[in-house]
Amino acid sequence: MGMISRVRGRIRSDSFSKIQMKSEDKIANIVWLISLVMLLPYWAPRGLLVALGGAWLMAAYTCFVVPILISANYRYPARWYPAVVKIARKIIRRLRGPLERVLFVFRAAYSPIDRAERIFLQLNNLSTMISQLLIFTACDRLLVSRGRLTCLYSLMFYNVITYSVNYIREICTKEDWTPYVNVTRHSQVKHLAMSATKIVLEWTKAVTFIVTMTFILLTLGLEQGLEHYRPTLVYTLITGIYYLLTEKTFLELWPSALSALKLERLEGMETLYCGVWARSVTTFIAVPLVPALAWGERWRLALLVAYVCVYIHGRYKLGEALIKFNEACDSLARFRKATPEELSTLEDVCAVCLGAMKSARVTPCAHFFHADCLRRCLAAIDRCPICVRPYVFC
């Protein structure tokens, strides 16, 4: 009887697995057919999509629907997918030698371009301004009706705002308010020429700030010379966010604003978090503009946006930010986080910054440090800052 029951159980499990495989095959075939239907707009007449929403609808469709289709087909693969993958792997193995030779030639030919791209990024102000002009021009062509100079006006207004923020920040952080310059650091004798130059420079900055702000307020209030300036709300949001996340002045302010929130889970890495977040958002803004411009038959602008704003900035700036963030996380991953019970009974300060510890990392020698302080110490030496012992992990 036991043998018969075991055989019956196996038959039932085999039949159940067959039924489950059939249901999964049906789901996979349905997902595949739905994917074909969802990809039909790419072969549909151009006038249909233009009537529904134009290039911007096509870009949004590409960014949101296509990843969902890829994940659905990955979750429910059809039976013929593995066979196709095997055939593709065999073809790649046979073509590995020629492909490696082609890649070697391509890398050798691309190395001068790579050096030129790095030099271009080293000119930080120039590369940032070019990327901003490209994004603003792309938004001008897609989101503003008959706006010939909208991008130039917008960039000018944003630059004026940046200048005002820099001037106000300089006033707030200024420590030496004396209008005189001493001959030496410890001397009380005034240098007349340098003092006069400093006074003239400070007054010039103040007058320039007042005149600039007055001019902008009059221009916006009276709308003189703004016949072609017709920005939409979406245009202002996209260009404003892109400018705030690419301009150097605001990139230096975001970590300070995030540090003011005192989020312990960030562990003092606000600068790294802001770098990754800013580069990711700017790249995400530029990506849908490329198919939208291509759909509108603006090929040159689409290629420029794809190359400068997506490829170069995504490969170098976003890649560099991710590398720094991953290195910081990897250096701290070896050290466990202190529990609330340990911190409540510790009643001590961080030995590096002498600040109170609401969150901390614990070394193998049972010493507590802020995560950011420990990370900076690890960059200098791989030893405990207190007992100077090498870290030994069990």
Side-chain angles (χ1 to χ4, degrees):
M1 292 295 293
M3 187 68 178
I4 295 172
S5 62
R6 284 196 294 271
V7 171
R8 287 179 179 176
R10 289 178 182 176
I11 293 172
R12 289 175 182 174
S13 62
D14 292 339
S15 61
F16 178 75
S17 62
K18 288 180 180 179
I19 294 171
Q20 188 176 6
M21 288 176 61
K22 288 182 179 179
S23 62
E24 289 180 355
D25 289 341
K26 288 181 180 179
I27 295 173
N29 292 327
I30 292 171
V31 169
W32 182 67
L33 290 174
I34 292 175
S35 301
L36 286 179
V37 173
M38 298 297 286
L39 292 175
L40 283 178
Y42 290 98
W43 292 279
R46 184 173 179 273
L48 177 62
L49 287 175
V50 171
L52 292 176
W56 193 252
L57 177 63
M58 193 67 186
Y61 188 88
T62 303
C63 293
F64 292 103
V65 176
V66 173
I68 295 174
L69 297 180
I70 294 173
S71 61
N73 281 274
Y74 180 79
R75 176 67 177 83
Y76 299 101
R79 280 191 176 184
W80 48 271
Y81 285 176
V84 173
V85 172
K86 287 182 180 179
I87 294 172
R89 287 178 179 174
K90 289 181 180 178
I91 294 172
I92 291 172
R93 287 173 186 173
R94 291 181 181 179
L95 296 176
R96 180 175 295 176
L99 285 175
E100 288 179 353
R101 289 193 290 271
V102 170
L103 287 175
F104 177 77
V105 174
F106 176 76
R107 287 172 184 170
Y110 187 73
S111 58
I113 303 175
D114 183 72
R115 288 195 295 270
E117 291 171 352
R118 294 182 183 276
I119 293 172
F120 172 72
L121 287 176
Q122 288 176 0
L123 305 172
N124 190 29
N125 293 332
L126 179 63
S127 60
T128 301
M129 185 184 67
I130 290 176
S131 65
Q132 290 171 356
L133 277 174
L134 289 173
I135 294 296
F136 283 30
T137 306
C139 293
D140 201 359
R141 297 293 181 268
L142 295 172
L143 302 174
V144 181
S145 59
R146 293 178 292 179
R148 299 177 184 175
L149 297 175
T150 304
C151 58
L152 299 179
Y153 278 118
S154 301
L155 189 58
M156 180 186 69
F157 293 151
Y158 294 153
N159 285 330
V160 169
I161 294 173
T162 304
Y163 172 77
S164 304
V165 171
N166 277 326
Y167 185 73
I168 294 172
R169 185 176 65 173
E170 181 182 350
I171 291 176
C172 294
T173 58
K174 191 173 182 179
E175 297 179 357
D176 183 15
W177 286 90
T178 61
Y180 305 107
V181 178
N182 297 331
V183 175
T184 60
R185 179 179 298 179
H186 302 288
S187 174
Q188 299 296 325
V189 180
K190 310 301 180 184
H191 196 297
L192 297 180
M194 294 298 295
S195 300
T197 304
K198 183 179 179 180
I199 293 171
V200 171
L201 182 61
E202 294 297 331
W203 275 102
T204 303
K205 288 182 179 179
V207 171
T208 303
F209 174 74
I210 295 171
V211 171
T212 303
M213 294 303 297
T214 305
F215 173 75
I216 293 299
L217 292 175
L218 288 175
T219 304
L220 292 176
L222 301 177
E223 296 185 359
Q224 296 296 319
L226 299 179
E227 293 84 1
H228 302 294
Y229 188 66
R230 295 292 181 270
T232 60
L233 179 60
V234 178
Y235 173 89
T236 305
L237 286 175
I238 293 175
T239 55
I241 292 172
Y242 191 87
Y243 187 88
L244 291 175
L245 296 180
T246 53
E247 190 63 29
K248 181 181 178 181
T249 300
F250 297 102
L251 286 176
E252 295 173 353
L253 291 176
W254 294 128
S256 302
L258 192 59
S259 300
L261 299 176
K262 296 180 179 180
L263 299 176
E264 296 296 335
R265 64 179 64 183
L266 300 183
E267 295 186 321
M269 295 191 297
E270 287 84 359
T271 303
L272 298 176
Y273 275 100
C274 286
V276 173
W277 175 68
R279 267 70 179 192
S280 301
V281 173
T282 52
T283 306
F284 179 77
I285 289 174
V287 166
L289 297 177
V290 178
L293 291 169
W295 190 258
E297 297 181 355
R298 301 183 184 275
W299 300 103
R300 287 180 294 182
L301 185 57
L303 290 174
L304 286 173
V305 172
Y307 181 66
V308 176
C309 302
V310 178
Y311 175 71
I312 293 181
H313 285 265
R315 179 189 175 188
Y316 294 101
K317 290 192 174 182
L318 178 58
E320 183 182 355
L322 287 173
I323 289 173
K324 290 181 179 180
F325 180 76
N326 291 329
E327 287 178 352
C329 293
D330 293 340
S331 64
L332 293 175
R334 300 178 297 169
F335 305 91
R336 68 177 181 87
K337 294 183 178 180
T339 62
E341 292 78 11
E342 290 175 333
L343 292 174
S344 62
T345 58
L346 185 61
E347 295 182 358
D348 198 359
V349 297
C350 176
V352 178
C353 66
L354 303 180
M357 289 186 289
K358 296 182 180 179
S359 65
R361 294 275 182 164
V362 186
T363 62
C365 46
H367 290 132
F368 293 74
F369 301 96
H370 287 137
D372 188 51
C373 297
L374 181 59
R375 181 173 59 87
R376 284 182 288 177
C377 292
L378 290 172
I381 185 171
D382 196 20
R383 290 175 179 268
C384 178
I386 295 180
C387 61
V388 201
R389 295 178 182 175
Y391 297 120
V392 179
F393 297 91
C394 300

